[in-house]
Amino acid sequence: MVVASGGNPFAKEMAIRKRISNIFNKREEDFPSLREYNDYLEEVEDMTFNLIEGIDVAAIEAKIAKYQEENAEQIINARARKAEELAAAMKASMGNPAQTDSSDMGIGLSSQGQYAPALPGGGLAQPRPTGMQPVPLGGSHDPSHGYPVGDEETMKLRAARAGGWTIELSKKRALEEAFSSICV
Protein backbone atom coordinates (compact mmCIF):
# COMPACT_ATOMS: atom_id res chain seq x y z
CA MET A 1 0.00 0.00 0.00
CA VAL A 2 1.50 3.29 -1.06
CA VAL A 3 0.19 6.54 0.36
CA ALA A 4 0.63 9.72 -1.65
CA SER A 5 3.12 12.05 -0.01
CA GLY A 6 1.40 15.17 -1.31
CA GLY A 7 -1.70 14.62 0.84
CA ASN A 8 -2.48 15.19 4.46
CA PRO A 9 0.43 13.92 6.62
CA PHE A 10 -1.98 12.98 9.41
CA ALA A 11 -4.08 10.88 7.02
CA LYS A 12 -0.90 9.23 5.71
CA GLU A 13 0.22 8.35 9.25
CA MET A 14 -3.20 7.01 10.19
CA ALA A 15 -3.37 4.84 7.06
CA ILE A 16 0.09 3.39 7.76
CA ARG A 17 -0.68 2.78 11.45
CA LYS A 18 -3.97 1.07 10.58
CA ARG A 19 -2.29 -1.15 8.00
CA ILE A 20 0.55 -2.11 10.35
CA SER A 21 -1.79 -2.78 13.29
CA ASN A 22 -3.88 -5.12 11.11
CA ILE A 23 -0.77 -7.15 10.30
CA PHE A 24 1.21 -6.97 13.54
CA ASN A 25 -1.74 -7.69 15.84
CA LYS A 26 -0.26 -9.87 18.57
CA ARG A 27 -1.22 -9.25 22.19
CA GLU A 28 0.63 -9.54 25.47
CA GLU A 29 -0.87 -12.98 26.14
CA ASP A 30 0.72 -14.23 22.88
CA PHE A 31 4.21 -13.85 24.40
CA PRO A 32 5.93 -15.83 27.15
CA SER A 33 7.17 -12.66 28.88
CA LEU A 34 6.38 -8.98 29.11
CA ARG A 35 9.90 -8.19 27.91
CA GLU A 36 9.37 -10.09 24.64
CA TYR A 37 6.03 -8.34 24.12
CA ASN A 38 7.59 -4.93 24.68
CA ASP A 39 10.41 -5.78 22.24
CA TYR A 40 7.76 -6.76 19.67
CA LEU A 41 5.90 -3.46 20.20
CA GLU A 42 9.12 -1.47 19.89
CA GLU A 43 10.03 -3.21 16.63
CA VAL A 44 6.55 -2.56 15.21
CA GLU A 45 6.71 1.11 16.22
CA ASP A 46 10.17 1.48 14.66
CA MET A 47 8.88 0.04 11.38
CA THR A 48 5.80 2.28 11.51
CA PHE A 49 7.88 5.40 12.16
CA ASN A 50 10.28 4.55 9.33
CA LEU A 51 7.40 3.99 6.90
CA ILE A 52 5.82 7.31 7.90
CA GLU A 53 9.12 9.15 7.47
CA GLY A 54 10.05 7.27 4.28
CA ILE A 55 13.18 5.67 5.77
CA ASP A 56 14.29 2.37 4.17
CA VAL A 57 10.77 1.69 2.88
CA ALA A 58 11.73 -1.15 0.52
CA ALA A 59 13.41 -3.17 3.30
CA ILE A 60 10.49 -2.62 5.67
CA GLU A 61 7.94 -3.61 3.02
CA ALA A 62 9.94 -6.81 2.39
CA LYS A 63 9.99 -7.50 6.14
CA ILE A 64 6.21 -6.94 6.35
CA ALA A 65 5.58 -9.26 3.38
CA LYS A 66 7.76 -11.97 4.95
CA TYR A 67 5.98 -11.60 8.31
CA GLN A 68 2.56 -11.81 6.61
CA GLU A 69 3.57 -14.96 4.76
CA GLU A 70 5.01 -16.67 7.85
CA ASN A 71 2.20 -15.63 10.21
CA ALA A 72 -0.86 -15.65 7.94
CA GLU A 73 -2.87 -18.02 10.14
CA GLN A 74 -2.04 -16.10 13.34
CA ILE A 75 -3.00 -12.79 11.69
CA ILE A 76 -6.37 -14.20 10.56
CA ASN A 77 -7.04 -15.71 14.00
CA ALA A 78 -6.23 -12.41 15.73
CA ARG A 79 -8.54 -10.51 13.37
CA ALA A 80 -11.34 -13.02 14.05
CA ARG A 81 -10.77 -12.73 17.81
CA LYS A 82 -10.92 -8.93 17.54
CA ALA A 83 -14.16 -9.13 15.51
CA GLU A 84 -15.72 -11.48 18.08
CA GLU A 85 -14.73 -9.15 20.92
CA LEU A 86 -16.16 -6.17 19.05
CA ALA A 87 -19.43 -8.01 18.40
CA ALA A 88 -19.65 -9.02 22.08
CA ALA A 89 -18.94 -5.45 23.19
CA MET A 90 -21.56 -4.09 20.82
CA LYS A 91 -24.08 -6.65 22.02
CA ALA A 92 -23.32 -5.76 25.65
CA SER A 93 -23.62 -2.04 24.95
CA MET A 94 -26.97 -2.45 23.20
CA GLY A 95 -28.68 -3.30 26.44
CA ASN A 96 -31.93 -4.65 25.00
CA PRO A 97 -31.39 -7.70 22.76
CA ALA A 98 -34.99 -7.49 21.51
CA GLN A 99 -34.06 -4.39 19.50
CA THR A 100 -31.01 -5.84 17.79
CA ASP A 101 -30.91 -6.89 14.17
CA SER A 102 -30.18 -10.51 13.30
CA SER A 103 -27.25 -9.61 11.06
CA ASP A 104 -23.79 -11.08 11.59
CA MET A 105 -22.52 -7.69 12.72
CA GLY A 106 -24.91 -7.56 15.67
CA ILE A 107 -25.72 -3.93 15.01
CA GLY A 108 -29.14 -2.91 16.24
CA LEU A 109 -31.50 -0.83 14.20
CA SER A 110 -34.40 0.99 15.74
CA SER A 111 -37.74 1.75 14.15
CA GLN A 112 -36.74 5.44 14.06
CA GLY A 113 -34.50 4.73 11.04
CA GLN A 114 -31.02 4.97 12.48
CA TYR A 115 -27.99 4.94 10.25
CA ALA A 116 -26.71 1.51 9.24
CA PRO A 117 -23.07 0.93 8.25
CA ALA A 118 -21.98 0.03 4.74
CA LEU A 119 -22.10 -3.63 3.78
CA PRO A 120 -19.06 -5.36 2.27
CA GLY A 121 -20.68 -5.20 -1.20
CA GLY A 122 -20.79 -1.41 -1.01
CA GLY A 123 -24.51 -0.96 -0.34
CA LEU A 124 -26.15 0.23 2.82
CA ALA A 125 -28.16 -2.04 5.08
CA GLN A 126 -30.69 0.76 5.38
CA PRO A 127 -30.78 4.24 3.80
CA ARG A 128 -29.43 7.04 5.95
CA PRO A 129 -32.26 9.20 7.29
CA THR A 130 -32.35 12.92 6.62
CA GLY A 131 -33.44 15.60 9.05
CA MET A 132 -33.47 13.22 12.03
CA GLN A 133 -31.30 13.07 15.11
CA PRO A 134 -29.88 9.65 16.04
CA VAL A 135 -31.70 7.99 18.91
CA PRO A 136 -29.73 5.82 21.34
CA LEU A 137 -30.89 2.22 21.49
CA GLY A 138 -32.30 0.72 24.70
CA GLY A 139 -32.77 2.23 28.12
CA SER A 140 -34.75 5.23 29.24
CA HIS A 141 -33.96 8.64 27.80
CA ASP A 142 -33.64 12.10 29.21
CA PRO A 143 -35.60 14.25 26.76
CA SER A 144 -33.52 17.34 27.55
CA HIS A 145 -30.29 15.69 26.36
CA GLY A 146 -31.36 12.69 24.32
CA TYR A 147 -28.91 10.40 26.14
CA PRO A 148 -29.75 7.28 28.14
CA VAL A 149 -30.36 7.95 31.80
CA GLY A 150 -28.76 5.72 34.41
CA ASP A 151 -27.65 5.89 37.98
CA GLU A 152 -24.42 7.67 38.79
CA GLU A 153 -22.41 4.46 39.20
CA THR A 154 -23.48 3.18 35.78
CA MET A 155 -22.45 6.46 34.19
CA LYS A 156 -19.03 6.33 35.89
CA LEU A 157 -18.54 2.74 34.72
CA ARG A 158 -19.43 3.69 31.13
CA ALA A 159 -16.97 6.59 31.23
CA ALA A 160 -14.24 4.36 32.64
CA ARG A 161 -14.80 1.70 29.98
CA ALA A 162 -14.70 4.36 27.28
CA GLY A 163 -11.30 5.34 28.61
CA GLY A 164 -10.02 1.77 28.33
CA TRP A 165 -10.48 0.74 31.96
CA THR A 166 -11.27 -2.88 32.79
CA ILE A 167 -11.62 -4.78 36.03
CA GLU A 168 -8.65 -6.97 35.06
CA LEU A 169 -6.50 -3.88 34.52
CA SER A 170 -7.46 -2.57 37.93
CA LYS A 171 -6.63 -5.89 39.63
CA LYS A 172 -3.30 -6.17 37.80
CA ARG A 173 -2.29 -2.64 38.78
CA ALA A 174 -3.24 -3.19 42.41
CA LEU A 175 -1.13 -6.36 42.55
CA GLU A 176 1.83 -4.67 40.88
CA GLU A 177 1.66 -1.74 43.30
CA ALA A 178 1.33 -4.06 46.30
CA PHE A 179 4.28 -6.24 45.34
CA SER A 180 6.48 -3.33 44.28
CA SER A 181 6.41 -1.98 47.83
CA ILE A 182 7.63 -5.22 49.42
CA CYS A 183 11.26 -5.13 50.54
CA VAL A 184 13.13 -8.37 51.08
Side-chain angles (χ1 to χ4, degrees):
M1 172 186 206
V2 177
V3 180
S5 61
N8 181 353
F10 180 72
K12 174 186 173 185
E13 180 176 346
M14 294 307 298
I16 290 171
R17 287 192 179 280
K18 183 176 181 180
R19 176 176 169 239
I20 295 297
S21 70
N22 281 329
I23 298 167
F24 294 92
N25 53 13
K26 290 185 179 180
R27 297 182 179 185
E28 185 177 348
E29 57 264 16
D30 296 331
F31 293 89
S33 71
L34 180 60
R35 178 69 180 175
E36 290 179 37
Y37 176 62
N38 285 335
D39 290 345
Y40 168 80
L41 291 178
E42 186 173 353
E43 182 181 1
V44 170
E45 183 57 31
D46 287 345
M47 287 189 303
T48 304
F49 177 80
N50 288 342
L51 283 174
I52 292 168
E53 296 300 319
I55 302 169
D56 204 14
V57 174
I60 295 171
E61 289 294 344
K63 189 174 186 177
I64 291 170
K66 181 180 177 188
Y67 180 86
Q68 280 183 299
E69 187 177 310
E70 292 173 354
N71 298 290
E73 186 175 335
Q74 177 271 324
I75 292 169
I76 292 169
N77 290 340
R79 287 179 184 168
R81 178 175 57 187
K82 185 176 179 180
E84 288 171 357
E85 290 171 355
L86 178 62
M90 289 177 65
K91 184 177 178 183
S93 70
M94 291 294 179
N96 186 356
Q99 290 182 339
T100 59
D101 187 33
S102 62
S103 70
D104 292 341
M105 300 274 297
I107 297 174
L109 301 173
S110 73
S111 60
Q112 285 86 12
Q114 288 184 317
Y115 174 71
L119 295 174
L124 293 177
Q126 180 177 345
R128 186 173 185 152
T130 56
M132 298 174 66
Q133 292 293 324
V135 179
L137 296 174
S140 59
H141 304 287
D142 179 3
S144 65
H145 299 292
Y147 298 110
V149 177
D151 60 1
E152 187 175 336
E153 190 169 320
T154 303
M155 298 305 284
K156 286 181 183 178
L157 184 59
R158 284 183 185 168
R161 284 186 184 154
W165 178 86
T166 63
I167 292 174
E168 292 77 25
L169 181 65
S170 179
K171 289 177 184 177
K172 183 177 178 182
R173 182 173 178 179
L175 284 172
E176 286 176 0
E177 288 177 357
F179 285 111
S180 68
S181 64
I182 296 175
C183 294
V184 178

